[in-house]
Amino acid sequence: MSIKERLAEIGLKPSSKFGQNFLREPGVARRIVEFGKPIDAPLVVEIGAGLGALTGELLDLDSNLIAIEIEKKLCSFLRSKYPSIEVINADARFVDLNLLGEKMVVFGNLPYSFSTDILFHLVRHYSVIDKAILLLQKEFADRLCAAPGGRDYGVLTINCGLFGDAVKGDIVPGASFYPKAKVDSMVVIIRFRNSPKYGLDDGDILMFRQVVEASFFRRRKKIGNSLRSSGLFPSQVVDACLE
C-alpha cells in the first residue's frame, strides 16, 4: 500500500502546518539507523514518527523505544502497528525529555519549519541525551556543521557546538518523501558533551549566547561595530571589553 493510500485509509492528508513529508524509501531509513550505530543506550526516542518508516528499523535495536508524534490519528496507527512501543501524542518541542530517561539516543525526521525549535529543545536537554541522529534540510545541516570562516558559520553553529559535535551524513533527495520535498535533506549526528564547552556554567551560558548573537548581528562589520549595533550591550562596555 502506498503512503498516499495509507493516509487516505486513516483519514489524513499531509499537513503543511506540521511540515509532514513522509519518508517513502525503506533503504533511507536503514541508512539513517546505521549512521547512528553503535546504539548501546537503554532508551531510543523517535521524534515525528509519522507512519513508522523509521520506527520499524529502530525496533531492531536492543533498546526501549518511545515515539513522539503530534498527530493523533498517526498515534493511533502507530499503537496498532507497533503495540510493543510507547507512543506519546505531543508536540516534541514541549516534551520534558528529563522525565523519559537518561543517556537516550534520539532519532528524528524533523519538519523544516520546526527544525530550529526542536534542535534547541534537544540542546536544552543535552545532559540526558547521548546523541541525536536527525534528518534535516540540507541547508540547515550545512549551517549546523559549518567550519569557522565560511558564510554558513554563525549563531546556530556556535550555540549547538557549545553542547555537542555535529557531523554530516548522507544527502537524501526530496523525491524520497511523500509529498515530494522541494529541497534535499541530509542526515546529521550530534554527539552531546557531558558538560558545556569552555567550562561554562548555567549562569555563563546566557551571556555567552548574547555575545554570540551580538557578534553576528552585523556579520560583515568589525566585531566591535556588530556588538554595538545589536543594542544588547552599552557602547562603553563593548569598548572596555575589547580594550
Side-chain angles (χ1 to χ4, degrees), residues 143-177:
R143 290 166 51 210
L144 179 62
C145 302
R151 64 182 179 84
D152 291 328
Y153 187 79
V155 176
L156 174 70
T157 323
I158 298 172
N159 280 334
C160 291
L162 186 64
F163 298 94
D165 295 309
V167 177
K168 295 179 183 179
D170 290 347
I171 294 175
V172 179
S176 300
F177 300 89

Side-chain angles (χ1 to χ4, degrees), residues 9-233:
E9 183 181 65
I10 63 178
L12 190 66
K13 292 183 178 181
S15 168
S16 57
K17 175 184 176 182
F18 294 148
Q20 289 175 332
N21 294 87
F22 297 89
L23 193 60
R24 65 182 184 182
E25 293 190 14
V28 173
R30 284 193 291 272
R31 292 206 306 273
I32 293 172
V33 176
E34 287 297 322
F35 186 59
K37 288 183 177 179
I39 306 294
D40 52 6
L43 174 64
V44 170
V45 175
E46 182 185 2
I47 293 175
L51 287 169
L54 190 56
T55 314
E57 299 295 330
L58 294 174
L59 280 174
D60 292 335
L61 300 176
D62 188 22
S63 304
N64 292 325
L65 177 58
I66 296 176
I68 301 174
E69 172 55 52
I70 195 171
E71 172 57 57
K72 186 177 293 186
K73 290 182 178 179
L74 289 175
C75 287
S76 297
F77 171 79
L78 290 166
R79 291 184 181 112
S80 175
K81 187 174 182 179
Y82 303 112
S84 65
I85 72 172
E86 179 181 353
V87 179
I88 298 175
N89 180 202
D91 186 329
R93 295 174 296 172
F94 306 108
V95 174
D96 187 349
L97 300 179
N98 292 308
L99 300 179
L100 302 185
E102 296 182 350
K103 291 302 176 185
M104 68 185 71
V105 173
V106 176
F107 282 85
N109 171 19
L110 303 191
Y112 297 159
S113 54
F114 298 141
S115 292
T116 300
D117 291 345
I118 295 175
L119 182 60
F120 279 109
H121 186 66
L122 297 179
V123 166
R124 285 192 291 273
H125 292 83
Y126 76 94
S127 63
V128 296
I129 303 174
D130 180 46
K131 56 188 172 183
I133 301 88
L134 308 173
L135 190 55
L136 303 164
Q137 183 178 350
K138 183 180 180 301
E139 180 184 352
F140 188 91
D142 287 338
R143 290 166 51 210
L144 179 62
C145 302
R151 64 182 179 84
D152 291 328
Y153 187 79
V155 176
L156 174 70
T157 323
I158 298 172
N159 280 334
C160 291
L162 186 64
F163 298 94
D165 295 309
V167 177
K168 295 179 183 179
D170 290 347
I171 294 175
V172 179
S176 300
F177 300 89
Y178 176 82
K180 180 180 177 181
K182 296 179 181 179
V183 297
D184 291 342
S185 295
M186 178 178 280
V187 187
V188 170
I189 185 168
I190 307 171
R191 295 180 176 87
F192 287 95
R193 307 176 191 280
N194 293 325
S195 58
K197 212 171 183 179
Y198 313 123
L200 300 181
D201 60 27
D202 291 341
D204 296 325
I205 290 171
L206 177 59
M207 177 61 73
F208 179 91
R209 285 176 169 161
Q210 288 179 327
V211 171
V212 170
E213 181 180 345
S215 298
F216 284 90
F217 187 74
R218 295 280 187 266
R219 61 183 300 147
R220 289 184 175 86
K221 302 291 185 181
K222 289 184 177 181
I223 193 168
N225 291 331
S226 185
L227 290 167
R228 295 184 197 94
S229 299
S230 72
L232 290 174
F233 308 105

